[in-house]
Amino acid sequence: YAIYSKSGAVLERPRPIDSLFPPGSVCSRGGGDPIVLYDQFVDRWLLTQFTTGCKDSRSTTCHNCIAVSQTGNPRGMYYTYAVPAQPDPNGIQGSVLPDYPKYSVWSNCYVLTTRDFGGDLSAMGYSGVSIYVFEKQPLINGRLAKCDRWTLSQSTYGPLIGDDLHMLSADIDGSRRPPPGSAIPIISTQDDNFGAPFDGINVWNLFVNWKSSPATRLVLPVQLRVAPFNSNVCGLFCRSEVPLPGGQRVDSLARVLYRLAYHNFGSYESMVVVRDVQR
């Protein structure tokens, strides 16, 4: 990562994200897939990556690595955390591989969603989606106090989490918070080519109250029908598949794409997200 001023001047030259974490720690040997977020409500920066050791040794636990700036200065010190990935549901000793980790900022927490790979080393495959919810206030003060986790398995939830096996949680834009007590919207897509009754967008509600037990509750109140589509653009991933004006072509990931942007305009609330599909 590097740090620039708003005018484009280089303040910190590129360095490995690994360098944010203690030398010799599990997160000092990260596997990439980084995310950078700024939390405008508490003036903090989040830099994240994950580890991939469980991909090479199935008895190993992979980790989600989080660095949170101690002040609003991204050039200063960081609190760091190594959060273990969910156990492998296939009975393997190690954890799932928490692929495609995506983070979001909400009023009283940070949310992480991952698309998980599990199974033995010779045939790792999709196992489901994990949702991690981190209590914000302790995290920005150097303590990982509460972390609630949800796992939506492919075998149980199937079409509701889509053929792409991914979900995105809402990430706040602007300076206005959501109304007090609002659930965090989390979306997934479903495709009738992959067992769903219709093509649509599923809008889940994640309720968070750190004073209750359990602290989180996940429900699916809204399923939105959309125009027919085929989510299998070109398989799992392909290069130079999507045409752009002028003849250029870009890659396709065949899934909901980061971010799910949320904005509270006062009289109404809005969300924007993108998903590549084949019509």
Side-chain angles (χ1 to χ4, degrees), residues 51-58 60 62 95 97 121 124:
T51 66
T52 59
C54 62
K55 178 170 64 70
D56 303 314
S57 172
R58 294 303 292 122
T60 301
C62 280
S95 72
L97 174 69
L121 192 61
M124 290 187 73

Side-chain angles (χ1 to χ4, degrees), residues 29-76:
R29 304 180 300 278
D33 222 340
I35 293 291
V36 177
L37 283 177
Y38 175 69
D39 185 343
Q40 64 270 38
F41 301 112
V42 294
D43 190 25
R44 294 291 188 274
W45 294 88
L46 280 76
L47 282 77
T48 71
Q49 62 176 351
F50 70 163
T51 66
T52 59
C54 62
K55 178 170 64 70
D56 303 314
S57 172
R58 294 303 292 122
S59 62
T60 301
T61 297
C62 280
H63 289 78
N64 301 293
C65 303
I66 304 172
V68 181
S69 65
Q70 296 185 15
T71 68
N73 180 7
R75 303 175 66 183

Side-chain angles (χ1 to χ4, degrees), residues 25-193:
S25 69
V26 64
C27 286
S28 68
R29 304 180 300 278
D33 222 340
I35 293 291
V36 177
L37 283 177
Y38 175 69
D39 185 343
Q40 64 270 38
F41 301 112
V42 294
D43 190 25
R44 294 291 188 274
W45 294 88
L46 280 76
L47 282 77
T48 71
Q49 62 176 351
F50 70 163
T51 66
T52 59
C54 62
K55 178 170 64 70
D56 303 314
S57 172
R58 294 303 292 122
S59 62
T60 301
T61 297
C62 280
H63 289 78
N64 301 293
C65 303
I66 304 172
V68 181
S69 65
Q70 296 185 15
T71 68
N73 180 7
R75 303 175 66 183
M77 301 294 290
Y78 283 77
Y79 297 119
T80 60
Y81 308 93
V83 181
Q86 297 284 61
D88 193 310
N90 300 287
I92 306 297
Q93 182 179 348
S95 72
V96 297
L97 174 69
D99 189 33
Y100 202 62
K102 296 294 175 276
Y103 291 77
S104 67
V105 172
W106 200 251
S107 301
N108 62 348
C109 62
Y110 301 115
V111 182
L112 161 65
T113 57
T114 62
R115 57 198 306 261
D116 298 338
F117 286 82
D120 63 45
L121 192 61
S122 62
M124 290 187 73
Y126 298 136
S127 61
V129 173
S130 288
I131 303 170
Y132 303 73
V133 190
F134 305 98
E135 187 179 13
K136 180 188 294 191
Q137 202 59 41
L139 200 75
I140 65 174
N141 289 308
R143 186 167 59 94
L144 182 62
K146 294 181 181 178
C147 172
D148 264 28
R149 310 175 188 218
W150 290 80
T151 295
L152 285 70
S153 68
Q154 184 181 30
S155 59
T156 301
Y157 289 89
L160 290 177
I161 54 177
D163 65 292
D164 58 322
L165 280 181
H166 192 59
M167 304 172 75
L168 284 179
S169 59
D171 183 43
I172 301 176
D173 282 350
S175 58
R176 186 180 282 115
R177 297 172 184 266
S182 294
I184 306 169
I186 298 181
I187 68 158
S188 62
T189 59
Q190 64 179 35
D191 182 353
D192 61 8
N193 294 291

